[in-house]
Amino acid sequence: MSTSDRLRAALVDGLTGDDAISDPAWRAAALAVPRELFVGSFFVPVPGSNPTAYRPVHRTDPGWLRQVYANETLITQLDGHVRPEDVTGGTVTGTPSSSSTLPSLVLGMWQQLDAVAGHRVLEIGTGTGYSTALGAHRLGDANLTSIEYDPLVAERAAAAIGAAGFAPRLVVGDGLIGDPDGGEGAYDRLIATCAVRYLPPGWLHQVKPGGVILATLSGWGFGFGLVRLVLTAPGEGTGRFMPGWTSFMIARPHDRPPRQSISLLPGDERPSRIDPEVISTWTGSWVAQLAAPSAERMGAVGHQILWDVATGSQARTAPVPGGGWTVVQRGPLRLWDQVESAVEAWQRAGEPHQEGFGLTVSPTGQRVWIGSEDGPGWNLPI
Ligand SMILES: C[S@@+](CC[C@H](N)C(=O)[O-])C[C@H]1O[C@@H](n2cnc3c(N)ncnc32)[C@H](O)[C@@H]1O
């Protein structure tokens, strides 16, 4: 047995023991696909750095193969163009824009998708091609199409997928449009390994009624929820959010627009009814993002800042010596009023994790709700 085979078997055994792999067919796929074909060089975050700095790791570095077979996301590109081999000295900062996703997450999502042999599947975000190769092993080349936005990333993925012995259909382009050659109801399943602010209408038509879309909803407030939507009619469906803590880099066309550095300006001040830190928590940030979907969230402990990209509206909180918090709001959107009401509705519902939320989509809109369709909810920014 080669070192690669031995490390891969150990990873797969670990994932099976942790219940990340329960389906023998996906276990077979994980055992068959050598991850090192897909992730030559990658970035690892430097512990304790702020902003996060990344150190390139190359094939020739000691321990490289062992790191490839860790259950870790391996970042392969920053800021849409910086590759590990471009970094000549030390470390670099930037925003991850392509990666080989955490193996437990990739395999968990493939299983949650409930795709079986014979299903036609559309994957959005080929990335390194690792998840695509796993899918091709399980579903067959002819049943899988994968779309990647970045031509250079797509070119590398195509080479790696070919080297691993698979030949699914690969498309270079904006996966938010769907398969450019796919018609109404062309797919049984759609899986996205980049996050979206709302489910693109093309997806809701290319997946047939009874079919499933598995995608992470996110936005500019760093909240995330992995939803499994079942189509009930063309363009219509409903579903629940999944347990766990899934996050993905946002689809490039849904990323926040570039902005100048923000100046904090005077505004109307009042006490805050909620502890601002709640919007730094996993589900609190999700609720805040639902309530103020065009706002970016910034700031540090005790000082939350919301800044609305479209209108310039601002909200910022500060602790009051002796207890409590104030908020200053400015601009046409009362961002803190929106967030505060949403957080209070969530708290009245018992502060459920994202898995207590659901999503209903129709031609007239997409609404995330708590508990049931008639519970408190917010429209996604379509
Ligand atoms: C987390 S990586 C994908 C990981 C991949 N599934 C793997 O296992 O290696 C996300 C990828 O989505 C791609 N992406 C971003 N926006 C996209 C879009 N609109 N259409 C298709 N791909 C997109 C990025 O370029 C990036 O390569």
Side-chain angles (χ1 to χ4, degrees):
M1 200 186 230
S2 69
T3 308
S4 163
D5 291 344
R6 192 170 43 73
L7 290 170
R8 190 159 60 256
L11 173 66
V12 172
D13 283 348
L15 297 179
T16 309
D18 293 344
D19 292 334
I21 306 178
S22 52
D23 179 336
W26 286 107
R27 181 181 158 88
L31 282 171
V33 177
R35 198 184 188 202
E36 68 270 31
L37 294 181
F38 299 85
V39 286
S41 300
F42 50 87
F43 290 108
V44 292
V46 176
S49 55
N50 186 13
T52 306
Y54 294 92
R55 178 174 62 80
V57 177
H58 303 292
R59 201 176 275 272
T60 46
D61 290 345
W64 171 81
L65 193 59
R66 194 173 33 74
Q67 281 180 274
V68 166
Y69 281 108
N71 184 30
E72 298 283 350
T73 294
L74 301 175
I75 296 162
T76 47
Q77 187 196 63
L78 299 170
D79 294 339
H81 64 99
V82 180
R83 300 170 307 171
E85 45 275 50
D86 300 332
V87 178
T88 45
T91 62
V92 65
T93 55
T95 303
S97 49
S98 194
S99 66
S100 169
T101 305
L102 190 73
S104 57
L105 175 56
V106 169
L107 287 153
M109 283 180 64
W110 273 123
Q111 291 166 101
Q112 285 168 330
L113 191 68
D114 196 22
V116 295
H119 274 161
R120 294 204 62 208
V121 177
L122 180 61
E123 180 190 48
I124 311 297
T126 315
T128 63
Y130 177 62
S131 58
T132 316
L134 292 170
H137 185 279
R138 171 71 180 91
L139 305 167
D141 289 333
N143 292 315
L144 181 60
T145 296
S146 185
I147 308 180
E148 171 56 47
Y149 191 86
D150 183 314
L152 290 178
V153 170
E155 190 180 309
R156 287 188 168 202
I161 292 166
F166 300 102
R169 183 167 155 256
L170 300 175
V171 176
V172 183
D174 182 3
L176 303 191
I177 293 161
D179 176 354
D181 299 325
E184 183 94 15
Y187 288 96
D188 299 282
R189 298 285 186 271
L190 184 149
I191 184 170
T193 58
C194 51
V196 284
R197 297 179 74 209
Y198 56 86
L199 297 181
W203 297 4
L204 300 168
H205 285 271
Q206 293 199 341
V207 177
K208 60 179 66 152
V212 173
I213 294 174
L214 187 66
T216 300
L217 289 174
S218 184
W220 302 340
F222 307 107
F224 298 91
L226 175 64
V227 71
R228 187 178 191 279
L229 187 96
V230 179
L231 278 292
T232 49
E236 295 179 30
T238 184
R240 309 283 315 197
F241 287 81
M242 301 283 103
W245 293 268
T246 300
S247 63
F248 275 104
M249 45 195 71
I250 198 155
R252 298 194 192 189
H254 279 193
D255 204 355
R256 60 186 63 71
R259 64 165 162 76
Q260 309 289 318
S261 59
I262 172 173
S263 341
L264 297 175
L265 301 166
D268 304 327
E269 182 171 332
R270 67 167 175 82
S272 170
R273 298 195 301 269
I274 60 167
D275 178 350
E277 286 321 297
V278 75
I279 72 165
S280 294
T281 64
W282 175 256
T283 307
S285 65
W286 163 249
V287 172
Q289 181 179 272
L290 290 171
S294 54
E296 273 194 64
R297 180 167 63 82
M298 292 163 268
V301 177
H303 297 268
Q304 294 288 350
I305 299 169
L306 296 174
W307 190 81
D308 184 74
V309 176
T311 63
S313 305
Q314 300 180 357
R316 64 178 188 277
T317 68
V320 175
W325 313 270
T326 55
V327 58
V328 174
Q329 300 188 84
R330 177 192 177 91
L333 293 182
R334 298 281 117 167
L335 295 171
W336 199 252
D337 295 5
Q338 294 169 217
V339 166
E340 194 172 50
S341 302
V343 166
E344 287 174 330
W346 171 59
Q347 289 172 333
R348 280 194 298 275
E351 299 190 25
H353 170 275
Q354 274 83 331
E355 70 182 291
F357 289 66
L359 170 69
T360 301
V361 304
S362 73
T364 56
Q366 302 188 9
R367 184 170 179 273
V368 173
W369 35 263
I370 300 179
S372 60
E373 279 186 341
D374 54 5
W378 301 269
N379 292 323
L380 295 177
I382 302 182

